[in-house]
Amino acid sequence: MPVSRRRFLLATVLPMLTLGVTGALAVASGQQTAAEASAGTDPATARPASTTAGSVVQIAAHPDDDLFFMNPDLSRSLLAGTPLTTVYLTSGEADGRNEADGDGAKDPTQPADRGHYSEARQNGIRSAYAQMATGDRTSAWQRTVIPTAGGGQAELDVLVAKPHINLVWLQMREARAPIADTPESLRGLWNGRIPALVPQFATGTPVKHAYTYTKDQAIAAIAGILERYKPTTIRMQDPTPGRYADSGRYTDHQDHMYGARFAQAAAASYAARVPVGQRPHFSVQSYLGYHNGTLPHTLDPQTAETKIGFLKTYAWHDKQNHCGSPYGCGDRKVAGNPTGHNWAQSLRYARADNSSWLAQGTPGRLYAFAALDGQMAVWTRGPGTGAAAAWQGPDLLPGTGIDPGATTARFPDGRVAVLATRTVFGERPQDYRREIVYAVQAVPGGPFGAWVSLGTPESTDEAGTSAISAPSAAADQDGRLTVYVRDSRRTLLARFQQPSGAFSDWQQLGGTDLQSDPVTATDAAGRRHLYVATTGSVLAWIQPAPGAPLAGPFPTGLPATTVPLTATPEAAGVRLYFRRPDSGVVRTALVTAGAGAAKPAVSSIAEAGGRAGYGAVGVAGRLLSGRADSGTISTTGLGGPPAWTESQMLYAGAPAGTQEQGGATTTAVLGLDAELHVTTTLPNPTRLVWHKAIPRP
């Protein structure tokens, strides 16, 4: 068994390393430990500890997109026993030749056979999933046919040993080229260039009924699958990957992008048609595709090795005919390069990889935000003790189309604003776009008002494919908001709220090669800082004095990061948190403003948490939270302890934390069950246990 899989299994058995054996078993079983009973100060400690729950549906354009771009999230979900279904929109037939470059596997003079190649790719996917779930790539599957809500048929594969693991094949024709203008494709169907898309059946599929899908029928087919499985987490690819600045080419395969748009539309249709009560709430996680190959690696070597091993199984790397098919047991194209173009060494979220979605309002009051069902969900915790301090929610703000990845800003009077991007589909294909929206409390502690649109710096979707970042925002002492965003050209822009309440036009703040979402914080002198990661470092914009325009961008001289940043005020500066490439260890550095327009000073780098993990880090005082080696939500301390304290829970997006008055810390995360999970500690905690914020029967 690979080392990282052994670690994951150990982590699920021994969730809390700071406990003794008795304490660990008590937490795993949901019993109250002696330490909790003797403390007697927090009734939440009597609740069962959070574990991985919920169900997942993944929607991918091609066989292997999940293995390249959604793993190790995928394999860890399977190991945790999460019910999981993957939907493949196309057959991935490409040129119909199942051969690795230069291996002589097939005579190039022989005609292509797309049905045979599609069948080989199906065989490879079934082998990889069987290996991830059971350790045996030959574990049997049952292949049947199901009708779709779009009027066609799909192949359903059920893993016999673990029937909660399903594969659904819609078998639509693929574009057969990453960027070529091919009308007979998901892109052509979305944009109305063809009335319907024909299927490309794998040779051995049990589906025999010929059908075509119109755009509406394709959306209905995917929505019907969501209704069948009722997931709490939907994983999809990036619907707005952007273009390369030098060539104007898409940064991802056109099928990935337009397949994700079909998935977006289907999720919106499902949420609108099936009310809560007949289905659970769900969150959405989107994954970066080909662009991973141009950025620093996010996975540590052991995790990457395990991931590549599953890709080799899919690729039929050993060429042993373990599946008994005359068409091949995997995708020999991948066998020639199982890491892809630097894809296998990374996993990145295209949205919701920031830690600023938990905010303090008036003293003692907390707000947590996440997109559920395409709406903004709000959880609230009141001040005081007992029932008054219990979490309430989720309440869904009116308005749909909200993308994953909420951010917040706090006004001087204690009011809170929540910001997000919103997808607008429109009546015509060219009306598709992402725009920035915000909602704010009219009075401290009061309800949130209606969404206000700030539009987008992208004039049309087609120019930049709406590849804007999540917004970051800050309020000045006069209660006026400034909103920052990275555009598809990888530069920074801002809109400023004027004394009248109206916003300025978008103002260009410069920078090049910006990759991360912008993050903001204000130092002890009242100067606003803003930071964005590039491919090789981090750029800074800092006010020379409170209320002055941002100066910059300044080079920080920091080394390359894995992109997501977290920023918190500390003393006279702002402390940045990020991960080291090819490792996942959390790094941190303190940045202090220079005098006038001088470049800032940057401290030496410290490290915390031990190796492995990926994604943004939550910060609450000196308590850090994020993914550890197992992929679970875990905690560590700045300056010690030396390793992550791991839980039993996988999660979506990024954690968020805050330090409250008196030194208590609260950290929150959205589980795969679409529930808010929290841990609240007194100063100098000796242990941490995660619980559902809202207990459910």
Side-chain angles (χ1 to χ4, degrees):
M1 182 182 296
V3 173
S4 58
R5 287 189 66 191
R6 291 200 300 270
R7 286 182 178 175
F8 180 86
L9 291 173
L10 285 172
T12 61
V13 175
L14 303 175
M16 300 298 293
L17 301 181
T18 56
L19 297 177
V21 173
T22 302
L25 292 175
V27 170
S29 64
Q31 299 174 3
Q32 188 179 27
T33 67
E36 291 172 324
S38 62
T41 59
D42 183 3
T45 58
R47 297 187 224 140
S50 297
T51 58
T52 299
S55 62
V56 176
V57 167
Q58 303 183 152
I59 303 169
H62 311 119
D64 79 8
D65 290 343
D66 45 346
L67 300 182
F68 273 120
F69 307 119
M70 299 178 181
N71 230 0
D73 280 2
L74 164 58
S75 58
R76 287 167 173 166
S77 297
L78 295 176
L79 282 172
T82 308
L84 186 144
T85 297
T86 299
V87 183
Y88 300 100
L89 302 183
T90 78
S91 291
E93 68 274 10
D95 64 357
R97 299 183 184 278
N98 193 16
E99 54 187 341
D101 292 340
D103 76 345
K106 184 169 181 173
D107 182 353
T109 64
Q110 294 297 313
D113 192 318
R114 291 186 167 90
H116 289 176
Y117 180 46
S118 298
E119 179 68 16
R121 295 189 76 174
Q122 283 199 14
N123 290 334
I125 284 291
R126 284 187 284 268
S127 295
Y129 270 72
Q131 184 181 38
M132 287 186 286
T134 71
D136 177 10
R137 67 178 178 178
T138 66
S139 192
W141 293 82
Q142 182 181 34
R143 301 175 66 180
T144 58
V145 178
I146 58 173
T148 72
Q153 293 183 334
E155 177 178 339
L156 170 63
D157 298 346
V158 178
L159 186 59
V160 175
K162 295 193 173 183
H164 60 276
I165 299 172
N166 290 192
L167 307 175
V168 177
W169 306 87
L170 291 183
Q171 300 189 93
M172 289 188 280
R173 185 192 192 276
E174 69 145 273
R176 301 177 182 175
I179 61 173
D181 186 8
T182 307
E184 295 78 17
S185 63
L186 292 171
R187 177 185 177 186
L189 186 63
W190 180 270
N191 288 330
R193 298 185 64 190
I194 55 173
L197 189 59
V198 299
Q200 171 59 65
F201 291 139
T203 299
T205 183
V207 176
K208 306 302 180 186
H209 171 67
Y211 59 86
T212 61
Y213 283 130
T214 66
K215 180 179 180 178
D216 289 344
Q217 288 172 330
I219 292 170
I222 303 167
I225 294 168
L226 295 175
E227 185 172 358
R228 177 188 182 99
Y229 289 100
K230 296 179 172 59
T232 53
T233 298
I234 299 173
R235 294 173 178 161
M236 64 179 66
Q237 294 171 273
D238 185 2
T240 56
R243 297 177 183 271
Y244 291 111
D246 55 349
S247 65
R249 293 187 297 109
Y250 295 142
T251 63
D252 206 355
H253 195 297
Q254 60 181 308
D255 281 347
H256 299 174
M257 178 171 68
Y258 284 95
R261 294 188 180 188
F262 274 102
Q264 268 189 309
S269 172
Y270 166 61
R273 193 166 44 83
V274 183
V276 174
Q278 297 179 29
R279 61 163 176 84
H281 288 303
F282 65 84
S283 68
V284 172
Q285 188 82 69
S286 57
Y287 291 79
L288 203 67
Y290 285 177
H291 190 47
N292 270 322
T294 67
L295 299 173
H297 298 163
T298 67
L299 303 180
D300 68 281
Q302 291 175 331
T303 302
E305 178 185 2
T306 301
K307 177 177 175 177
I308 293 167
F310 297 137
L311 279 159
K312 288 181 176 179
T313 297
Y314 162 75
W316 190 28
H317 202 261
D318 60 10
K319 296 189 70 176
Q320 295 181 13
N321 193 357
H322 60 273
C323 68
S325 170
Y327 313 121
C329 297
D331 184 353
R332 294 295 298 162
K333 291 186 188 299
V334 172
N337 186 18
T339 65
H341 296 279
N342 256 342
W343 304 329
Q345 297 91 337
S346 294
L347 179 149
R348 282 187 178 85
Y349 304 122
R351 298 275 146 179
D353 208 5
N354 66 72
S355 61
S356 60
W357 51 270
L358 179 68
Q360 295 189 43
T362 51
R365 189 175 296 276
L366 293 182
Y367 297 90
F369 302 90
L372 296 183
D373 313 339
Q375 295 181 255
M376 184 62 71
V378 185
W379 293 263
T380 307
R381 195 206 70 186
T385 60
W391 284 93
Q392 304 293 328
D395 297 316
L396 300 183
L397 300 185
T400 59
I402 302 299
D403 299 319
T407 58
T408 61
R410 186 182 186 276
F411 292 86
D413 62 1
R415 289 179 298 134
V416 172
V418 58
L419 300 95
T421 61
R422 176 169 65 188
T423 294
V424 179
F425 292 100
E427 295 296 326
R428 304 170 301 166
Q430 58 267 38
D431 294 334
Y432 180 99
R433 68 184 187 279
R434 273 185 158 143
E435 62 182 11
I436 296 164
V437 294
Y438 75 96
V440 65
Q441 294 172 307
V443 296
F448 287 84
W451 289 110
V452 177
S453 174
L454 294 179
T456 172
E458 305 290 344
S459 58
T460 66
D461 170 56
E462 187 56 29
T465 69
S466 292
I468 59 175
S469 70
S472 181
D476 64 20
Q477 289 303 308
D478 294 324
R480 294 198 292 268
L481 206 61
T482 301
V483 179
Y484 305 95
V485 66
R486 185 210 71 223
D487 68 0
S488 65
R489 294 176 295 279
R490 305 285 169 182
T491 65
L492 183 68
L493 297 99
R495 289 192 75 179
F496 309 93
Q497 194 169 25
Q498 300 167 335
S500 66
F503 279 82
S504 68
D505 293 334
W506 288 103
Q507 307 290 315
Q508 179 60 248
L509 299 184
T512 59
D513 185 35
L514 305 185
Q515 300 295 334
S516 72
D517 293 343
V519 295
T520 60
T522 302
D523 65 23
R527 292 170 296 205
R528 186 180 306 161
H529 295 225
L530 186 143
Y531 298 92
V532 187
T534 68
T535 303
S537 186
V538 176
L539 293 179
W541 289 256
I542 302 175
Q543 289 177 325
L550 285 178
F554 298 108
T556 62
L558 289 168
T561 74
T562 59
V563 173
L565 301 174
T566 301
T568 62
E570 181 175 314
V574 167
R575 184 168 288 279
L576 294 179
Y577 298 83
F578 46 90
R579 290 187 186 262
R580 188 172 73 192
D582 295 300
S583 163
V585 68
V586 175
R587 287 179 152 181
T588 178
L590 183 67
V591 184
T592 53
K599 66 179 293 187
V602 182
S603 73
S604 59
I605 293 173
E607 295 188 344
R611 296 176 63 83
Y614 48 89
V617 178
V619 181
R622 300 183 71 82
L623 181 69
L624 311 183
S625 55
R627 282 179 182 80
D629 182 32
S630 63
T632 60
I633 180 62
S634 305
T635 53
T636 188
L638 181 59
W644 293 102
T645 297
E646 301 189 22
S647 74
Q648 287 185 296
M649 183 176 58
L650 300 174
Y651 64 99
T658 189
Q659 186 170 27
E660 303 179 62
Q661 293 181 358
T665 63
T666 294
T667 303
V669 72
L670 190 69
L672 296 185
D673 55 1
E675 298 273 6
L676 184 71
H677 298 255
V678 298
T679 180
T680 297
T681 70
L682 298 175
N684 303 313
T686 57
R687 57 169 305 177
L688 295 170
V689 180
W690 293 86
H691 302 285
K692 283 185 179 180
I694 313 294
R696 306 292 180 190

